[in-house]
Amino acid sequence: MPDPRYPIGPFVAPDNFSEQGRVKFIASIEATPARLRAAIDGLSTAQLLQPYRDGGWTCAQVIHHVADSHMNAYMRFKLAATDDNPFVTGFNEAQWAECPDATSPDIGISLSLVDGVHARWVTFLRSLDAKAFDRTFQHSKNGPVSLNLALALYAWHGRHHTAHITSLRERMGW
């Protein structure tokens, strides 16, 4: 059985970035909301409160995390596209996941946020030219990050967290 922390494997940065790769990554980001909705379709409240692995987040926390993370990502992309290497802070994902809004099985608002953020984000991404993806933001923990790298990372991130839920469903026979 694969490592349940990384059901699709850990993130591996591409060796190079191309227009064809960016199109693929943007399509993956665009598909994330529908994939998340399909992954949780028909789950009961008890199932939404089931951790995807021992010591892991619940399915609901995964949905709330994607909303939190991808809102931050969208802002980072816009900052990098409009400012010169802006400083952005990381956030304590583990602590955010323990906030009351992130432990709730009520995932409707977070799903709506993911829908809206992704619609705006994809429109914005498709408006950028190739040179814009070379722009960077200065991450508080990771140093300079190009939009090319961030694009690949967030395409993986959506698939990664969706797979947390779908792999749990497979293991549990849901």
Side-chain angles (χ1 to χ4, degrees), residues 52-65:
Y52 73 88
R53 66 173 175 86
D54 288 339
W57 292 336
T58 67
C59 294
Q61 284 174 302
V62 169
I63 298 293
H64 297 310
H65 165 73

PDB file of all heavy atoms in Angstrom, residues 52-65:
ATOM      1  N   TYR A  52      -8.359  10.669   7.102  1.00  0.00           N
ATOM      2  CA  TYR A  52      -7.944   9.889   5.933  1.00  0.00           C
ATOM      3  C   TYR A  52      -6.812   8.922   6.264  1.00  0.00           C
ATOM      4  O   TYR A  52      -6.548   7.995   5.510  1.00  0.00           O
ATOM      5  CB  TYR A  52      -7.575  10.798   4.758  1.00  0.00           C
ATOM      6  CG  TYR A  52      -6.265  11.538   4.914  1.00  0.00           C
ATOM      7  CD1 TYR A  52      -5.066  10.955   4.497  1.00  0.00           C
ATOM      8  CD2 TYR A  52      -6.218  12.804   5.468  1.00  0.00           C
ATOM      9  CE1 TYR A  52      -3.871  11.623   4.644  1.00  0.00           C
ATOM     10  CE2 TYR A  52      -5.032  13.473   5.614  1.00  0.00           C
ATOM     11  CZ  TYR A  52      -3.853  12.885   5.195  1.00  0.00           C
ATOM     12  OH  TYR A  52      -2.659  13.547   5.349  1.00  0.00           O
ATOM     13  N   ARG A  53      -6.146   9.132   7.409  1.00  0.00           N
ATOM     14  CA  ARG A  53      -5.111   8.222   7.902  1.00  0.00           C
ATOM     15  C   ARG A  53      -4.985   8.442   9.401  1.00  0.00           C
ATOM     16  O   ARG A  53      -5.454   9.459   9.926  1.00  0.00           O
ATOM     17  CB  ARG A  53      -3.769   8.462   7.215  1.00  0.00           C
ATOM     18  CG  ARG A  53      -3.147   9.803   7.535  1.00  0.00           C
ATOM     19  CD  ARG A  53      -1.733   9.943   6.978  1.00  0.00           C
ATOM     20  NE  ARG A  53      -1.210  11.273   7.202  1.00  0.00           N
ATOM     21  CZ  ARG A  53      -0.580  11.666   8.318  1.00  0.00           C
ATOM     22  NH1 ARG A  53      -0.387  10.830   9.316  1.00  0.00           N
ATOM     23  NH2 ARG A  53      -0.143  12.901   8.436  1.00  0.00           N
ATOM     24  N   ASP A  54      -4.345   7.503  10.099  1.00  0.00           N
ATOM     25  CA  ASP A  54      -4.094   7.688  11.524  1.00  0.00           C
ATOM     26  C   ASP A  54      -3.286   8.968  11.724  1.00  0.00           C
ATOM     27  O   ASP A  54      -2.250   9.157  11.082  1.00  0.00           O
ATOM     28  CB  ASP A  54      -3.312   6.505  12.111  1.00  0.00           C
ATOM     29  CG  ASP A  54      -4.151   5.243  12.229  1.00  0.00           C
ATOM     30  OD1 ASP A  54      -5.398   5.361  12.252  1.00  0.00           O
ATOM     31  OD2 ASP A  54      -3.566   4.149  12.290  1.00  0.00           O
ATOM     32  N   GLY A  55      -3.783   9.846  12.586  1.00  0.00           N
ATOM     33  CA  GLY A  55      -3.099  11.104  12.855  1.00  0.00           C
ATOM     34  C   GLY A  55      -3.301  12.159  11.784  1.00  0.00           C
ATOM     35  O   GLY A  55      -2.719  13.241  11.860  1.00  0.00           O
ATOM     36  N   GLY A  56      -4.121  11.870  10.783  1.00  0.00           N
ATOM     37  CA  GLY A  56      -4.345  12.812   9.687  1.00  0.00           C
ATOM     38  C   GLY A  56      -5.612  13.624   9.891  1.00  0.00           C
ATOM     39  O   GLY A  56      -6.361  13.432  10.847  1.00  0.00           O
ATOM     40  N   TRP A  57      -5.841  14.512   8.970  1.00  0.00           N
ATOM     41  CA  TRP A  57      -7.029  15.346   8.995  1.00  0.00           C
ATOM     42  C   TRP A  57      -8.253  14.540   8.588  1.00  0.00           C
ATOM     43  O   TRP A  57      -8.152  13.536   7.882  1.00  0.00           O
ATOM     44  CB  TRP A  57      -6.880  16.510   8.032  1.00  0.00           C
ATOM     45  CG  TRP A  57      -5.857  17.527   8.418  1.00  0.00           C
ATOM     46  CD1 TRP A  57      -5.387  17.795   9.678  1.00  0.00           C
ATOM     47  CD2 TRP A  57      -5.181  18.420   7.546  1.00  0.00           C
ATOM     48  NE1 TRP A  57      -4.470  18.813   9.624  1.00  0.00           N
ATOM     49  CE2 TRP A  57      -4.319  19.214   8.328  1.00  0.00           C
ATOM     50  CE3 TRP A  57      -5.215  18.638   6.174  1.00  0.00           C
ATOM     51  CZ2 TRP A  57      -3.511  20.204   7.787  1.00  0.00           C
ATOM     52  CZ3 TRP A  57      -4.416  19.623   5.633  1.00  0.00           C
ATOM     53  CH2 TRP A  57      -3.572  20.400   6.431  1.00  0.00           C
ATOM     54  N   THR A  58      -9.410  15.028   9.007  1.00  0.00           N
ATOM     55  CA  THR A  58     -10.657  14.433   8.554  1.00  0.00           C
ATOM     56  C   THR A  58     -10.891  14.855   7.098  1.00  0.00           C
ATOM     57  O   THR A  58     -10.269  15.806   6.598  1.00  0.00           O
ATOM     58  CB  THR A  58     -11.846  14.901   9.408  1.00  0.00           C
ATOM     59  OG1 THR A  58     -12.051  16.301   9.176  1.00  0.00           O
ATOM     60  CG2 THR A  58     -11.623  14.617  10.896  1.00  0.00           C
ATOM     61  N   CYS A  59     -11.819  14.168   6.454  1.00  0.00           N
ATOM     62  CA  CYS A  59     -12.172  14.561   5.080  1.00  0.00           C
ATOM     63  C   CYS A  59     -12.638  16.015   5.045  1.00  0.00           C
ATOM     64  O   CYS A  59     -12.273  16.763   4.126  1.00  0.00           O
ATOM     65  CB  CYS A  59     -13.262  13.643   4.534  1.00  0.00           C
ATOM     66  SG  CYS A  59     -12.734  11.927   4.309  1.00  0.00           S
ATOM     67  N   ALA A  60     -13.422  16.425   6.037  1.00  0.00           N
ATOM     68  CA  ALA A  60     -13.879  17.816   6.090  1.00  0.00           C
ATOM     69  C   ALA A  60     -12.696  18.765   6.245  1.00  0.00           C
ATOM     70  O   ALA A  60     -12.637  19.806   5.573  1.00  0.00           O
ATOM     71  CB  ALA A  60     -14.874  18.001   7.236  1.00  0.00           C
ATOM     72  N   GLN A  61     -11.756  18.434   7.111  1.00  0.00           N
ATOM     73  CA  GLN A  61     -10.579  19.296   7.283  1.00  0.00           C
ATOM     74  C   GLN A  61      -9.776  19.408   5.989  1.00  0.00           C
ATOM     75  O   GLN A  61      -9.221  20.471   5.693  1.00  0.00           O
ATOM     76  CB  GLN A  61      -9.680  18.771   8.403  1.00  0.00           C
ATOM     77  CG  GLN A  61     -10.202  19.062   9.792  1.00  0.00           C
ATOM     78  CD  GLN A  61      -9.364  18.397  10.864  1.00  0.00           C
ATOM     79  OE1 GLN A  61      -9.204  17.173  10.860  1.00  0.00           O
ATOM     80  NE2 GLN A  61      -8.837  19.196  11.764  1.00  0.00           N
ATOM     81  N   VAL A  62      -9.719  18.338   5.223  1.00  0.00           N
ATOM     82  CA  VAL A  62      -9.026  18.389   3.936  1.00  0.00           C
ATOM     83  C   VAL A  62      -9.703  19.410   3.029  1.00  0.00           C
ATOM     84  O   VAL A  62      -9.029  20.238   2.400  1.00  0.00           O
ATOM     85  CB  VAL A  62      -8.961  16.990   3.278  1.00  0.00           C
ATOM     86  CG1 VAL A  62      -8.492  17.084   1.832  1.00  0.00           C
ATOM     87  CG2 VAL A  62      -8.070  16.050   4.077  1.00  0.00           C
ATOM     88  N   ILE A  63     -11.025  19.378   2.954  1.00  0.00           N
ATOM     89  CA  ILE A  63     -11.764  20.328   2.117  1.00  0.00           C
ATOM     90  C   ILE A  63     -11.517  21.760   2.594  1.00  0.00           C
ATOM     91  O   ILE A  63     -11.216  22.657   1.795  1.00  0.00           O
ATOM     92  CB  ILE A  63     -13.278  20.019   2.120  1.00  0.00           C
ATOM     93  CG1 ILE A  63     -13.561  18.623   1.546  1.00  0.00           C
ATOM     94  CG2 ILE A  63     -14.065  21.113   1.406  1.00  0.00           C
ATOM     95  CD1 ILE A  63     -13.255  18.451   0.083  1.00  0.00           C
ATOM     96  N   HIS A  64     -11.610  21.980   3.901  1.00  0.00           N
ATOM     97  CA  HIS A  64     -11.379  23.324   4.453  1.00  0.00           C
ATOM     98  C   HIS A  64      -9.940  23.773   4.181  1.00  0.00           C
ATOM     99  O   HIS A  64      -9.696  24.938   3.857  1.00  0.00           O
ATOM    100  CB  HIS A  64     -11.665  23.348   5.950  1.00  0.00           C
ATOM    101  CG  HIS A  64     -13.083  23.047   6.319  1.00  0.00           C
ATOM    102  ND1 HIS A  64     -14.171  23.674   5.736  1.00  0.00           N
ATOM    103  CD2 HIS A  64     -13.601  22.181   7.226  1.00  0.00           C
ATOM    104  CE1 HIS A  64     -15.294  23.217   6.263  1.00  0.00           C
ATOM    105  NE2 HIS A  64     -14.971  22.299   7.172  1.00  0.00           N
ATOM    106  N   HIS A  65      -8.981  22.845   4.287  1.00  0.00           N
ATOM    107  CA  HIS A  65      -7.573  23.175   4.022  1.00  0.00           C
ATOM    108  C   HIS A  65      -7.369  23.609   2.566  1.00  0.00           C
ATOM    109  O   HIS A  65      -6.645  24.578   2.301  1.00  0.00           O
ATOM    110  CB  HIS A  65      -6.664  21.979   4.340  1.00  0.00           C
ATOM    111  CG  HIS A  65      -5.306  22.123   3.757  1.00  0.00           C
ATOM    112  ND1 HIS A  65      -4.368  23.005   4.268  1.00  0.00           N
ATOM    113  CD2 HIS A  65      -4.725  21.527   2.692  1.00  0.00           C
ATOM    114  CE1 HIS A  65      -3.269  22.940   3.534  1.00  0.00           C
ATOM    115  NE2 HIS A  65      -3.456  22.050   2.571  1.00  0.00           N
TER     116      HIS A  65
END
